[in-house]
Amino acid sequence: KNNTSNDKRWEVNFQLLKEYKERQGDFTLRKGEDRKMIRMIKRIRLDYKKKQRGDRSGLTDERIANLEEIGFDFQRKETPYKVRDVPRSWEERFQQLLQFKEEHGHCLVPQISGGILGEWVRRQRCQYKKLMASERTSLTHEKALRLSSIGFCFDASSRFKGTIRTIQK
């Protein structure tokens, strides 16, 4: 392998790391995370340890500086199967949703690639169905109204069906 292909691969991977940080807020490995991302983060941490010991490593000083610039944590030791997100209050997640809406212009957080916020959004939709069926739920009418007031879509599947129909016309 030549240096040019390694440099290009590094640039692509570094961009993926920046996007991961923007999406997740940190570099904690979480259950269900993309396996490629897990391997990449673990590899960087391993290469960093090698460099600290004076062994041969793929991490240059410039790459370390770039990683430090985006807040990469070289010391974490968690495995993706044991780490859980720090529980956050409903209000904190709601504020994250407001931030997402400000950045993206909508509240349709991807449930698969949207990380912890995507999972929270999915739970709000499930809790809303229970609320509408008069079942026991943690979602209050007040919280549902707050979500509605910012344009939250409780039935994203119908939203997407409508979008698809509109595109097909």
Side-chain angles (χ1 to χ4, degrees), residues 102-143:
E102 191 175 306
E103 291 171 14
H104 300 278
H106 58 77
C107 294
L108 292 170
V109 181
Q111 292 181 22
I112 295 172
S113 62
I116 302 300
L117 183 60
E119 174 61 26
W120 182 83
V121 162
R122 186 192 66 73
R123 278 197 315 274
Q124 300 315 298
R125 291 186 178 122
C126 291
Q127 294 299 316
Y128 181 77
K129 286 177 188 171
K130 289 180 178 182
L131 183 67
M132 293 298 98
S134 299
E135 294 175 16
R136 190 175 168 155
T137 175
S138 60
L139 187 68
T140 63
H141 287 281
E142 178 192 61
K143 289 175 180 177

Side-chain angles (χ1 to χ4, degrees), residues 67-81:
L67 288 165
E68 286 172 341
E69 206 171 282
I70 63 168
F72 188 85
D73 182 357
F74 294 97
Q75 304 304 322
R76 289 251 167 98
K77 296 178 184 80
E78 300 92 331
T79 65
Y81 306 106

Side-chain angles (χ1 to χ4, degrees), residues 17-33:
L17 283 168
K18 283 175 28 179
E19 291 167 10
Y20 180 87
K21 171 76 184 278
E22 288 171 20
R23 195 171 62 243
Q24 300 290 17
D26 62 23
F27 292 99
T28 300
L29 298 175
R30 292 171 176 84
K31 186 176 181 179
E33 190 58 59

Side-chain angles (χ1 to χ4, degrees), residues 90 94 97-98 100-102 104-109 120-121 124-125 128 143-156 158-160:
W90 189 91
F94 182 75
L97 181 61
L98 283 174
F100 179 92
K101 182 180 181 183
E102 191 175 306
H104 300 278
H106 58 77
C107 294
L108 292 170
V109 181
W120 182 83
V121 162
Q124 300 315 298
R125 291 186 178 122
Y128 181 77
K143 289 175 180 177
L145 282 171
R146 287 185 69 197
L147 287 166
S148 293
S149 74
I150 64 165
F152 184 82
C153 184
F154 287 99
D155 186 3
S158 67
R159 167 93 187 239
F160 284 115

Side-chain angles (χ1 to χ4, degrees), residues 50-102:
K50 286 180 180 178
K51 188 162 179 73
Q52 296 299 95
R53 288 192 308 255
D55 296 340
R56 193 170 151 190
S57 165
L59 281 181
T60 63
D61 291 338
E62 180 185 356
R63 288 178 181 179
I64 290 172
N66 288 341
L67 288 165
E68 286 172 341
E69 206 171 282
I70 63 168
F72 188 85
D73 182 357
F74 294 97
Q75 304 304 322
R76 289 251 167 98
K77 296 178 184 80
E78 300 92 331
T79 65
Y81 306 106
K82 294 180 183 170
V83 175
R84 300 228 183 249
D85 182 47
V86 175
R88 307 249 182 212
S89 71
W90 189 91
E91 185 60 36
E92 286 175 292
R93 292 290 181 223
F94 182 75
Q95 293 303 319
Q96 288 177 335
L97 181 61
L98 283 174
Q99 185 179 353
F100 179 92
K101 182 180 181 183
E102 191 175 306

